[in-house]
């Protein structure tokens, strides 16, 4: 197993007119496509994803031109290597 260092992200995006009055989590998924819906929802709940500097709930509606800010720590990537056993090894 090898670990990489934890990195942080700081992203922002403006709510487009086409997403006016949609749920925050739905807009976040569209504006930050590199992250899963569940990860974005956990960041919203933790206050790492804010709207105009205000912590909101996933189900809250957002308006045109509001600014979403995402400031969060990314979990380190972990890679697992399989263990090789000699032929005929019994478990």
């Amino acid at each position: 197993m090898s670990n990489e260092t934890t990195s942080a992200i700081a992203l922002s995006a403006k709510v487009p007119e086409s997403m006016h009055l949609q749920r925050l989590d739905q807009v976040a998924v569209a504006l930050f496509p590199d992250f899963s819906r569940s990860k974005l929802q956990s960041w919203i709940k933790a206050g790492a994803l804010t709207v105009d500097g205000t912590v909101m709930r996933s189900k809250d509606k957002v308006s045109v031109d509001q600014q979403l800010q995402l400031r969060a720590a990314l979990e380190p990537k972990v890679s697992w290597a399989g263990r090789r056993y000699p032929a005929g090894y019994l478990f």
Side-chain angles (χ1 to χ4, degrees):
M1 177 174 80
S2 66
N3 291 336
E4 295 179 12
T5 60
T6 302
S7 60
I9 54 170
L11 302 171
S12 65
K14 190 180 285 190
V15 177
E17 189 174 330
S18 63
M19 296 183 160
H20 181 64
L21 295 180
Q22 288 189 19
R23 290 172 50 116
L24 172 57
D25 58 349
Q26 294 171 337
V27 173
V29 167
L31 296 179
F32 303 114
D34 293 337
F35 306 104
S36 70
R37 181 184 200 94
S38 63
K39 178 49 87 180
L40 288 164
Q41 286 176 328
S42 71
W43 283 333
I44 292 168
K45 188 174 183 176
L49 197 159
T50 60
V51 178
D52 291 335
T54 303
V55 175
M56 298 177 72
R57 298 172 299 177
S58 291
K59 65 181 183 177
D60 291 338
K61 309 287 183 181
V62 295
S63 298
V64 175
D65 293 335
Q66 284 188 306
Q67 192 75 26
L68 274 62
Q69 297 97 19
L70 176 59
R71 289 180 176 77
L74 292 175
E75 298 168 3
K77 293 183 180 181
V78 177
S79 62
W80 294 86
R83 179 180 244 178
R84 295 181 183 250
Y85 292 97
Y89 185 83
L90 299 176
F91 292 94

